[in-house]
Amino acid sequence: MVLQQMAIFFLLMLLGIAARRQGMLNEKNQQQISSLVVNIAYPAIILSGVSGSGARMEGEELLLSFGVALAVLCSAVLLGKVTPYILGYEKKYHGIVNVMVVFTNIGFMGMPMIHGIYGADALICMTVFLIPFNILFYSYAIQTMQPDGADKKKFRLGDLCNVGMGACVLSVVIYFSGVRLPYVLNTAIQMVGGLTAPLAMMLIGASLPDIPWKSLASNGRLMAFVLLKMLVFPTLALLALGQFVHEQVLLAVALCAMATPSGNMLAMLAAIYNKDSFLLATEGISLTTAVSVVTMPLVAWLAGIG
């Protein structure tokens, strides 16, 4: 199922490349469409997981989901800390290498994947992951990325005030309150959420022609990073997790948390907080995105996830 979903994503990326070459997608409207995805479609797909009337997870299942989310995040943080030392990166690049391991494209790629494979009801598992993931992103990621000796930006609760985090919190409130949204509103949310996968994947595809692939492929250290981040680390982590967790949906969500590409937002943060690492961030994000079509199904197969 993961292979089929990645094949669908690959076709959507190809469509994005074609749209870019035909001039239908360009730098200006890509930014506008990205804003639409981030602020409208992505929150809608989060809400779609709790707005229906399907099966619900209760106490122990939710606690297990939260425990798995914490275990995955803690493992990712540990792996992120050791990766720059393993690969021998200069100190100024340690922060960006660290966060490129930890913070993946779980939202734009993971949410549509879980929705496509297991349906909207499974998205509550993803929401349980997204809340601590977002908290860590706006605290740990920003702090880690900033170079030593800099006047570091301190984490504030206000940093969590964004549309994605708001959708996560609202979905939890709706879920636990048992509120059933009216049919018209629920259908609208489902339809808007359905835009996330095609738009996000087309945007990713549209960005690929600008990447200097030959120079990236000759960068041995970067290729080693991609191998560790996209194949070795997620496979080992999921094999270990599979010894204790046997719920396929949870394992698939963990797969999305660890084996999706490095998150696009990291390049934006690098441009703001550590300009020296911006080029490495864009290279790492580009390569992990390109290989994910092959590595994610391979990791799923090695870890025994359907």
Side-chain angles (χ1 to χ4, degrees):
M1 289 189 288
V2 174
L3 177 59
Q4 290 178 328
Q5 195 63 39
M6 290 308 298
I8 294 170
F9 285 174
F10 178 67
L11 291 176
L12 291 172
M13 289 182 196
L14 290 179
L15 194 58
I17 293 173
R20 175 64 184 274
R21 295 197 182 280
Q22 293 297 317
M24 289 181 282
L25 285 175
N26 52 55
E27 185 176 344
K28 183 177 180 179
N29 64 25
Q30 281 177 243
Q31 293 175 350
Q32 294 170 334
I33 297 171
S34 294
S35 180
L36 186 152
V37 173
V38 170
N39 295 299
I40 298 178
Y42 177 51
I45 199 173
I46 294 174
L47 290 173
S48 70
V50 297
S51 61
S53 56
R56 295 171 59 83
M57 289 196 308
E58 300 300 339
E60 288 188 7
E61 289 180 292
L62 283 172
L63 284 176
L64 178 60
S65 298
F66 187 69
V68 171
L70 290 181
V72 167
L73 283 173
C74 289
S75 299
V77 168
L78 178 61
L79 292 170
K81 284 183 176 296
V82 301
T83 299
Y85 293 99
I86 293 174
L87 299 177
Y89 273 102
E90 295 177 55
K91 185 67 175 177
K92 64 180 179 179
Y93 297 126
H94 279 208
I96 189 62
V97 173
N98 183 333
V99 297
M100 281 198 296
V101 172
V102 179
F103 298 99
T104 62
N105 213 348
I106 183 176
F108 291 161
M109 191 171 282
M111 289 290 284
M113 175 172 287
I114 294 300
H115 183 273
I117 296 175
Y118 298 103
D121 293 337
L123 292 180
I124 187 61
C125 291
M126 185 65 81
T127 302
V128 171
F129 270 69
L130 285 173
I131 292 176
F133 183 93
N134 281 333
I135 292 173
L136 206 61
F137 181 82
Y138 287 100
S139 53
Y140 179 82
I142 292 175
Q143 290 294 308
T144 301
M145 190 175 294
Q146 296 176 76
D148 292 336
D151 184 15
K152 292 192 174 185
K153 178 185 182 296
K154 302 299 182 183
F155 169 68
R156 297 189 300 262
L157 285 177
D159 295 331
L160 298 176
C161 295
N162 58 77
V163 179
M165 192 65 178
C168 286
V169 173
L170 181 58
S171 67
V172 170
V173 171
I174 293 173
Y175 191 83
F176 283 108
S177 66
V179 171
R180 296 299 182 192
L181 300 182
Y183 171 79
V184 172
L185 180 57
N186 177 48
T187 302
I189 290 173
Q190 299 280 345
M191 291 177 69
V192 174
L195 296 172
T196 306
L199 289 180
M201 293 304 107
M202 286 177 66
L203 286 169
I204 290 173
S207 68
L208 296 181
D210 297 329
I211 298 167
W213 295 111
K214 288 184 179 179
S215 62
L216 295 190
S218 63
N219 187 332
R221 184 176 291 162
L222 184 61
M223 296 302 291
F225 166 79
V226 171
L227 178 65
L228 288 176
K229 186 260 172 290
M230 296 301 292
L231 193 59
V232 177
F233 289 162
T235 300
L236 294 177
L238 289 166
L239 285 173
L241 186 63
Q243 302 301 309
F244 308 96
V245 178
H246 306 290
E247 175 59 51
Q248 282 291 301
V249 175
L250 262 181
L251 290 173
V253 171
L255 169 74
C256 292
M258 296 203 72
T260 46
S262 299
N264 295 27
M265 279 289 292
L266 295 175
M268 301 178 199
L269 290 184
I272 297 171
Y273 298 111
N274 190 344
K275 291 181 173 60
D276 288 340
S277 66
F278 176 73
L279 179 60
L280 179 57
T282 57
E283 291 175 341
I285 292 165
S286 300
L287 267 182
T288 54
T289 299
V291 304
S292 64
V293 177
V294 175
T295 57
M296 284 192 69
L298 183 55
V299 170
W301 177 71
L302 291 172
I305 300 173

